[in-house]
Amino acid sequence: ASYACNVINKLPADNTVFKPNKDFDVKFWLMNVGTKKWNQGADLLFDSGANMLTANPRYELPKVDPGKMVGPFIFDAKTPKKAGTYTMTFKVHGGFCYPYIKIIVKK
């Protein structure tokens, strides 16, 4: 594909257990696995699911050549007050990259 990405690393790992109403960081490292460079200015931001963000709701991506990694992008978040499993999906403008986290909240 001309524009594509892989999530090289993310924190927290899927199914990490947190207590309710707990501050935590969301971190993504992305790699351009497409054939075209990503031009500077595309945003990485919340897309869908449980919006747990408390600050810095978007990052402007730098120019990223094919085969290069960029990150970490760090978002401040807080777990919901109610127990359950929550997924928060982000996207890079252009719709070619959808990093996500999935956490479990237990009392």
Side-chain angles (χ1 to χ4, degrees), residues 1-2 35 64 75:
S2 296
T35 59
V64 184
F75 296 89

Side-chain angles (χ1 to χ4, degrees), residues 25-94:
D25 287 337
V26 176
K27 298 180 185 180
F28 295 114
W29 290 261
L30 307 176
M31 178 175 276
N32 181 349
V33 294
T35 59
K36 296 193 176 213
K37 75 176 176 186
W38 303 345
N39 290 320
Q40 182 174 349
D43 287 332
L44 172 63
L45 59 129
F46 171 79
D47 182 57
S48 63
N51 188 346
M52 297 175 265
L53 298 179
T54 60
N56 60 317
R58 69 178 61 225
Y59 277 97
E60 183 177 308
L61 296 180
K63 178 186 82 147
V64 184
D65 291 322
K68 299 294 181 184
M69 187 178 79
V70 64
F73 298 101
I74 303 170
F75 296 89
D76 294 326
K78 184 176 272 197
T79 61
K81 295 176 182 169
K82 188 176 174 184
T85 300
Y86 296 90
T87 300
M88 181 166 50
T89 302
F90 294 75
K91 74 173 177 182
V92 173
H93 271 134

